[in-house]
Amino acid sequence: MRIRGYFALSCPAVNPRRLAYWLIVPFLSLAAVLPARAFPRHNDTGFLNRHVTVNGVTYKYQVYVPENWNEHTSWPVILFLHGSGERGSEGMDETQIGLPQAIRVHPDRWPFIVVMPQVPFGHRHWTDPDMMQMALAALDQDTKEFHGDRDRTYLTGLSLGGYGVYELARYNPHRFAAIVPVSGGVFWSYKPDRWRESAILPGEYARAIGRTPIWIFHGADDNVVSAKQAALMYDALKTAGGNVRYWEYAGWRHNAWDKAYANPDLPRWLLEHHLSIIPKLVPAAEEVHVPLHPVPAKINPEIYDDYVGDYEDAGTIQATIIRQGDRLFTRNRIGDTIELLPESATTFFYPTGSPTRLTFEKDSEGEVKGIRFHDDRHEEFWEKKH
C-alpha cells in the first residue's frame, strides 16, 4: 500500500502504529527546531465576537479590529456605548448604528480598536454601576489582547450610551484622552427628579471631567433627549475651565449620531489628544450651530431648462428632472419627488440635510450629458436620455 508518498512493505510484520510514528515524528522534530516566525500567523480583523465575565455573569459583545492591525504597533482604542434600542444578550445589535455603521462606510477613517459591549434587556442602563464595570472590563480585555494604547483611549456613546459617557467620565476622570457624548445628558429619563438639581448637577460632572477634551453632538429638535441637556453641560464645562466643543444640528431630532460619526474631522480630532497631555491643556470652548443645509446660491432659473429630462443608468431611469417656475425638482425611480436647491449653477443638494449632491455635467459642445450623483459613500453617473 501507499501512504502519503511513502511505500509500506507488504509484510504482515509492519505495525501501522509504528509506521505512523516513523512518518509523524520527523515533522514534529522539525517544528520544534524552526523559529516561530517560520509559520505564518493569521490575525482576524473586522468585527469579532468576544465575551467577558464580570461577577460570575458572562456578557457577549463585539470588537472591531482594523484590517491592517499588527501586534508590533500600539493601537488607539475607542470604547463605544450603544443606545437603548440596541440592548440585548446576543452581542450583535450594538454594531448596527452609530460609530459601527460609520466604520463600515469609511473604515479608512477609523484606524482604532473599537470595543462595543452590550447592555442586556431588563431595564438596564449604562449608568448602572455593574454595567460600567462590565464596559471597562471589556475595554481592559481588548486593550491587552490587541495592544491598545492607554495614552490614546477614547470614549463615545449615543443616546443611552451618551448618558453612560458622562457617567464613566465622571467616575474615571484619568482614563480617557477625549470623550464624545452624542444625544445624551446627565438628567436620566428614568429618574426625572434629577432635573431639580439642574443648577448644581452639570457643575459636578464638569468638575470631575476637568480638562479632558469633550466634543458634544446634539440635534436641535431632539424629541427624546432635550437639547437643553447638552446646552447645560456645555455651559457647565465652559464655566469650569474645561476643553469643550458643542455642535448642535439644526433640523435634526434624536439621531444626531448619523451626522456626528459621519464627520471626517471627528476621528482626526480624537487622534490629536493624548491622556498624558491633558494637564497641559488650556481652557477652550466652542459652540457651533450647524445649519440643516448650505444657503442656496442665487442663480438664473432659466438654466434649469437645460437640466429637465430623464437620466438613466444601464437602461433604468434613475431620476426625472422637472422645472416648476423658478424651482427644480427630481423624481426618483419609485415616484418620490423632492426639491433640489442650488449649491452652484451645476451642483444641487436636497433640503433634508443629506450629504448627497447632484452635479450636471456637459459635453464639449455645452450640452448636458448627464448627472454625477455622489454622497458620503459612493458615486454614480446617470446619462441623460435623448
Side-chain angles (χ1 to χ4, degrees), residues 301-354:
E302 296 303 319
I303 66 173
Y304 292 168
D305 289 337
D306 294 336
Y307 301 152
V308 171
D310 293 327
Y311 294 80
E312 61 183 12
D313 179 27
T316 300
I317 295 178
Q318 300 291 333
T320 299
I321 304 300
I322 307 162
R323 177 184 178 183
Q324 295 183 2
D326 291 344
R327 302 166 70 189
L328 197 66
F329 294 83
T330 178
R331 184 171 65 241
N332 63 23
R333 59 185 179 183
I334 61 174
D336 294 332
T337 301
I338 188 170
E339 185 175 8
L340 294 176
L341 298 179
E343 191 170 62
S344 69
T346 57
T347 300
F348 294 75
F349 59 88
Y350 300 136
T352 58
S354 164

Side-chain angles (χ1 to χ4, degrees), residues 233-282:
M233 282 307 304
Y234 169 75
D235 290 338
L237 288 158
K238 180 180 178 181
T239 300
N243 197 294
V244 56
R245 307 177 80 180
Y246 172 37
W247 280 31
E248 184 179 278
Y249 292 108
W252 279 75
R253 294 195 175 186
H254 192 46
N255 67 331
W257 50 84
D258 286 346
K259 296 285 286 185
Y261 294 121
N263 186 338
D265 288 333
L266 177 56
R268 291 195 288 263
W269 178 83
L270 289 173
L271 291 172
E272 290 173 359
H273 298 291
H274 295 244
L275 187 62
S276 57
I277 67 172
I278 289 178
K280 302 176 184 178
L281 296 178
V282 298

Side-chain angles (χ1 to χ4, degrees), residues 124-204:
R124 307 305 300 276
H125 308 85
W126 283 120
T127 50
D128 298 344
D130 58 339
M131 293 296 97
M132 290 191 286
Q133 184 182 5
M134 178 267 288
L136 292 176
L139 175 62
D140 287 338
Q141 179 172 282
D142 292 328
T143 297
K144 181 178 180 180
E145 179 179 357
F146 296 105
H147 301 270
D149 187 349
R150 292 185 178 275
D151 197 42
R152 294 182 296 163
T153 297
Y154 312 101
L155 173 64
T156 186
L158 61 89
S159 190
L160 182 80
Y163 287 93
V165 166
Y166 284 115
E167 206 67 10
L168 273 173
R170 179 186 188 185
Y171 290 106
N172 300 272
H174 306 296
R175 182 65 188 272
F176 302 103
I179 63 176
V180 183
V182 183
S183 304
V186 300
F187 302 99
W188 309 338
S189 60
Y190 55 95
K191 286 191 176 181
D193 287 347
R194 294 197 113 202
W195 276 104
R196 296 178 182 177
E197 304 177 57
S198 60
I200 60 173
L201 199 59
E204 292 178 2

Side-chain angles (χ1 to χ4, degrees), residues 27 37 51 62 99 101 193 290 323 325 343 357 363 371:
F27 290 103
R37 62 178 176 272
H51 67 271
Q62 292 219 344
L99 177 56
Q101 183 183 45
D193 287 347
V290 184
R323 177 184 178 183
E343 191 170 62
R357 294 295 186 270
D363 58 23
I371 292 175

